[in-house]
Amino acid sequence: MNIASLPIVFSPEVRAALDKGQAVVALESTIITHGMPWPDNVQTARLVEDTVRAEGGVPATIAIIEGKIHVGLDDSAIEWLGTAKDVMKVSRADLAFALSAGKHGSTTVAATMICAHLAGIGVFATGGIGGVHRGVEETMDISADLTEFARTPVAVVCAGAKALLDLRRTLEFLETQGVPVIGYQTSDFPAFWSRSSGLPVPLRADSAEVIATMIDMRRKLGLEGGVVVANPVPAEDEIPAAEIEILIAKAVAEAHAAGISGKAVTPYLLSRMLELTEGRSLKTNIALVLNNARLATRIAVAISQK
Ligand code: PSU
Ligand code: MN
């Protein structure tokens, strides 16, 4: 693969950091365009970047602007993205189209992994990953994030998967795909707004160094695909599972009744949860993203020191 022939633009800061082998952390942009309302989306994107810098890393927010992959966005690009209306939600299936047709696009976890890997970035922080949706028996709705973990070698730090999903089936799917799911300082798979889903996490690591060593070992073994690092939301910011479950059930039932399908499902559910929790879900979402940015940078720093 010849990266020079690709429509990919690096910010000077990210280019310099990659050339020097410094710790760089990829950040997604669907959370900005489809995951949070303005102005919290823009404020959070900036805070996440500040958090990466405070831990000694360089943030690389990834998005598609006029048909080019941008790796590293400046402040005005983040502001524009957070208010723009004509931005496609771009996953693996949409990436080549968005680039060919000169579109603007925000990248999901799956598409951000692809772009990060092309750019030479191995660690990525997000909020929650996509997964197997409740009602999958009928809808077949399984996020393309899950198959991406099996093919693209990027470590994704998340707060588990949203409790809106079918978490038991999400873990089963990842196991079948051979994707390591590592709980950070926890033995329970986190459920995004809550610290525990009640399901055991398959693997556990208690330090960023252990995770960095394990990523390096996977590379040496020639194992394809990435790893999921599941980092529970800080206790002071969590919404206990028992409190939020009733609201989740309501949002999921409404989405089914309204016939919401495809890419629209996750954004619909996130915005309904924001309304049903009267903003509390958003506060938790912001806290967990920052927490993930911190851990992702520690892992990236540990890898850069190897
Ligand atoms: N989790 C969040 N906010 C988000 C998403 C996940 O807290 O906005 C986004 C991510 O970009 C993820 C995508 O990759 O939702 C999954 O969408 P789908 O279920 O359509 O694959
Ligand atoms: Mn889906």
Side-chain angles (χ1 to χ4, degrees):
M1 178 213 5
N2 177 11
I3 188 158
S5 68
L6 299 177
I8 180 162
V9 180
F10 290 85
S11 72
E13 186 193 17
V14 170
R15 185 66 269 163
L18 288 169
D19 290 343
K20 284 187 258 174
Q22 288 172 347
V24 177
V25 175
L27 301 164
E28 63 150 309
S29 45
T30 295
I31 191 166
I32 302 175
T33 57
H34 294 72
M36 289 184 189
W38 188 85
D40 303 85
N41 58 351
V42 171
Q43 280 162 12
T44 304
R46 288 186 180 134
L47 284 174
V48 171
E49 294 213 336
D50 294 345
T51 303
V52 172
R53 288 201 173 88
E55 292 289 333
V58 171
T61 303
I62 294 178
I64 296 160
I65 304 173
E66 286 183 339
K68 289 195 169 62
I69 300 167
H70 283 250
V71 181
L73 298 184
D74 65 19
D75 211 47
S76 62
I78 288 179
E79 177 77 41
W80 167 79
L81 198 62
T83 50
K85 291 279 166 276
D86 53 341
V87 181
M88 280 177 76
K89 174 179 164 185
V90 173
S91 191
R92 168 177 275 268
D94 318 289
L95 184 59
F97 173 84
L99 299 178
S100 311
K103 301 281 188 193
H104 303 314
S106 60
T107 49
T108 63
V109 169
T112 305
M113 288 174 75
I114 295 169
C115 297
H117 180 52
L118 287 170
I121 304 171
V123 182
F124 161 25
T126 184
I129 57 172
V132 178
H133 281 264
R134 296 185 187 195
V136 63
E137 305 89 326
E138 200 195 317
T139 63
M140 297 246 308
D141 190 350
I142 301 175
S143 174
D145 293 351
L146 297 188
T147 38
E148 202 60 47
F149 297 129
R151 53 211 299 188
T152 302
V154 172
V156 181
V157 181
C158 61
K162 278 170 291 284
L164 293 161
L165 299 164
D166 185 327
L167 296 183
R168 194 174 58 79
R169 287 189 169 90
T170 298
L171 286 173
E172 291 291 351
F173 191 93
L174 289 168
E175 181 178 270
T176 301
Q177 296 281 323
V179 177
V181 179
I182 307 158
Y184 178 70
Q185 296 182 347
T186 182
S187 301
D188 290 328
F189 187 58
F192 197 70
W193 301 292
S194 320
R195 287 178 59 80
S196 173
S197 60
L199 299 164
V201 74
L203 304 167
R204 173 182 176 138
D206 291 329
S207 73
E209 286 69 29
V210 170
I211 297 168
T213 305
M214 182 254 186
I215 291 167
D216 196 46
M217 181 60 74
R218 283 178 54 83
R219 185 185 57 76
K220 286 181 186 153
L221 291 169
L223 294 174
E224 72 283 18
V227 309
V228 175
V229 179
N231 184 29
V233 62
E236 61 272 25
D237 300 302
E238 84 160 331
I239 307 178
E243 260 175 69
I244 202 159
E245 176 52 37
I246 186 163
L247 303 178
I248 291 173
K250 187 167 158 61
V252 171
E254 285 175 3
H256 279 276
I260 310 288
S261 67
K263 301 180 185 205
V265 174
T266 296
Y268 176 91
L269 291 173
L270 284 172
S271 79
R272 268 314 271 149
M273 288 305 290
L274 173 68
E275 291 163 3
L276 292 170
T277 62
E278 295 168 354
R280 192 166 166 212
S281 67
L282 178 60
K283 267 193 65 195
T284 301
N285 196 344
I286 294 168
L288 66 84
V289 175
L290 297 177
N291 192 45
N292 295 341
R294 211 168 294 126
L295 177 58
T297 312
R298 289 181 190 164
I299 295 168
V301 167
I303 292 172
S304 75
Q305 287 166 350
K306 277 190 189 298

